[in-house]
């Protein structure tokens, strides 16, 4: 009887352990802007883009640079954003967040038919505009010329090593240029530095 | 003999342990600050008393930037003698009390040196935002 109880307890414990194991293997969703996201020291991550875009937008809106535009809301053209790091990623991870956030402020609208080196983001809209312009003899969207352009660069500094400790920094640099004057009316820089141990996960 | 060795060793250990946490931040400021803060009265809902004892909100003030955008600054103080890490997040609300969603925000990791005062700032996502909630974790 005692042995039977022991056997049952052991079976229950083993089942609980195996069931628990099954649950963890399936993975889990985490809030991509939450505190449970992993910090990877030697790579740029989505959290870094969230931090950089947040700081840049805070700085740009606080500067009042957009308020000084004669046209409200001002039209923003996206210029060249250079990835000058040793990693491969799409710079839209930064730029799109900034665009959406600025659009929410109501102070800026982004043109998708006028782009850097004539590359429109929305080719279809550009084609429709061109067709209307041809047929009607005037630009369908005459105000799409940007009042401001956003350009910038993402830099990765040389990795610093002290013993097993590693340090990695990413520098986000952006400039908002007023097209009519050619002057950068706002400039922002945000540095994100991460430390980690070789072979480990940083925090 | 062994006790004679143990006691100094224990003292040395204590000094090392507590001494390492003594790299506090000393601050200095005007006795009568020139900056006029538009302070906000605080209503705190504390659920984590451990965090409250370590990092505390000591002031909140607001300003309007870019014509109609609410900007909030919270002043935090590390009340301990050791470096602390924490997370913070701002929730934004419109005049109807509805949460304003934004691609910005979310939880931000921050650190604060021993005894240091630190300001964290955020600008509301939309001009229609009138209120906020600051969360610390």
């Amino acid at each position: 009887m005692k042995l039977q109880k022991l056997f049952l307890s052991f079976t229950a414990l083993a089942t609980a352990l195996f069931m628990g194991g099954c649950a963890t293997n399936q993975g889990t969703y985490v809030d991509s802007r939450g505190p449970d996201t992993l910090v990877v020291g030697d790579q740029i991550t989505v959290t870094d883009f969230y931090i950089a875009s947040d700081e840049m937008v805070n700085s740009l809106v606080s500067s009042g640079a957009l308020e000084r535009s004669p046209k409200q809301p001002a039209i923003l053209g996206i210029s060249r954003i250079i990835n000058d790091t040793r990693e491969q990623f799409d710079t839209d991870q930064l730029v799109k967040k900034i665009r959406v956030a600025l659009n929410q402020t109501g102070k800026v609208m982004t043109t998708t038919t006028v782009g850097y080196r004539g590359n429109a983001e929305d080719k279809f809209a550009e084609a429709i505009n061109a067709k209307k312009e041809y047929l009607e003899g005037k630009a369908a969207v005459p105000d799409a010329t940007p009042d401001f352009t956003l350009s910038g660069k993402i830099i990765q500094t040389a990795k610093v090593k002290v013993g097993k400790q590693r340090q990695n920094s990413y520098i986000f640099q952006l400039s908002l240029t007023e097209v009519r004057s050619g002057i950068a009316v706002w400039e922002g820089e945000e540095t994100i530095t991460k430390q980690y141990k070789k072979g480990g996960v940083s925090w | 003999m062994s006790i004679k060795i143990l006691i100094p060793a224990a003292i040395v250990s204590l000094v090392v342990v507590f001494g390492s946490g003594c790299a506090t931040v000393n601050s200095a400021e005007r006795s009568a600050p020139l900056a006029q803060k538009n302070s906000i009265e605080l209503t705190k809902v504390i659920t984590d008393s451990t965090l409250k004892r370590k990092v505390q909100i000591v002031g909140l003030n607001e300003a309007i930037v870019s014509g109609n955008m609410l900007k909030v600054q919270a002043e935090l103080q590390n009340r301990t003698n050791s470096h602390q890490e924490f997370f913070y997040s701002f929730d934004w609300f419109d005049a109807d009390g509805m949460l304003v969603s934004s691609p910005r925000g979310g939880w931000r990791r921050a650190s604060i040196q021993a005894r240091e005062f630190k300001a964290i700032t955020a600008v509301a996502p939309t001009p229609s935002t009138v209120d906020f909630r600051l969360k610390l974790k």
Side-chain angles (χ1 to χ4, degrees), chain A residues 120-135:
Chain A
E121 185 180 322
D122 189 335
K123 299 278 184 197
F124 186 41
E126 186 192 33
I128 293 168
N129 195 20
K131 190 180 173 185
K132 278 195 172 180
E133 193 176 344
Y134 174 74
L135 293 172

Side-chain angles (χ1 to χ4, degrees), chain A residues 22-202:
Chain A
C22 287
T24 52
N25 283 342
Q26 284 174 354
T28 180
Y29 284 104
V30 294
D31 181 356
S32 53
R33 286 179 282 170
D36 298 325
T37 53
L38 292 177
V39 181
V40 185
D42 61 347
Q43 279 172 40
I44 198 161
T45 64
V46 69
T47 308
D48 302 325
F49 290 113
Y50 274 120
I51 294 169
S53 63
D54 201 23
E55 291 299 324
M56 291 291 186
V57 173
N58 277 347
S59 166
L60 176 52
V61 174
S62 299
S63 74
L66 298 170
E67 282 292 291
R68 294 192 282 273
S69 168
K71 193 162 68 189
Q72 295 289 336
I75 305 293
L76 178 70
I78 304 300
S79 184
R80 199 174 174 201
I81 311 288
I82 302 165
N83 170 11
D84 203 16
T85 70
R86 297 180 289 279
E87 294 169 38
Q88 197 177 359
F89 56 82
D90 191 335
T91 54
D92 265 354
Q93 289 187 83
L94 174 77
V95 176
K96 193 68 174 181
K97 287 177 185 60
I98 292 172
R99 282 173 58 169
V100 175
L102 290 178
N103 187 273
Q104 272 193 318
T105 67
K107 297 179 187 308
V108 164
M109 288 193 295
T110 307
T111 174
T112 53
T113 54
V114 179
Y116 173 68
R117 284 189 176 168
N119 288 322
E121 185 180 322
D122 189 335
K123 299 278 184 197
F124 186 41
E126 186 192 33
I128 293 168
N129 195 20
K131 190 180 173 185
K132 278 195 172 180
E133 193 176 344
Y134 174 74
L135 293 172
E136 297 170 13
K138 59 179 180 181
V141 193
D143 288 339
T145 309
D147 301 298
F148 297 105
T149 58
L150 189 71
S151 60
K153 192 188 267 191
I154 306 168
I155 302 164
Q156 185 175 15
T157 60
K159 203 173 279 182
V160 180
K161 300 176 186 178
V162 178
K164 282 187 177 179
Q165 199 77 16
R166 303 283 185 272
Q167 185 172 292
N168 207 9
S169 292
Y170 298 94
I171 304 168
F172 297 79
Q173 298 174 329
L174 287 180
S175 298
L176 185 80
T177 303
E178 188 184 47
V179 172
R180 66 190 167 118
S181 65
I183 292 168
V185 290
W186 168 84
E187 294 194 271
E189 184 177 88
E190 176 67 18
T191 303
I192 294 176
T193 299
K194 301 194 277 190
Q195 286 189 351
Y196 62 101
K197 278 186 180 165
K198 194 183 173 186
V201 175
S202 53

Side-chain angles (χ1 to χ4, degrees), chain B residues 4-55:
Chain B
K4 275 184 182 174
I5 294 171
L6 269 176
I7 290 172
I11 291 168
V12 167
S13 302
L14 281 171
V15 168
V16 168
V17 168
F18 285 99
S20 62
C22 285
T24 57
V25 172
N26 295 329
S27 305
E29 58 187 28
R30 287 176 194 269
S31 55
L34 297 178
Q36 297 291 314
K37 285 183 185 174
N38 191 7
S39 296
I40 304 168
E41 208 170 308
L42 269 171
T43 299
K44 293 179 193 169
V45 181
I46 307 291
T47 53
D48 185 348
S49 55
T50 310
L51 178 63
K52 184 196 161 194
R53 279 196 297 272
K54 292 177 178 173
V55 179

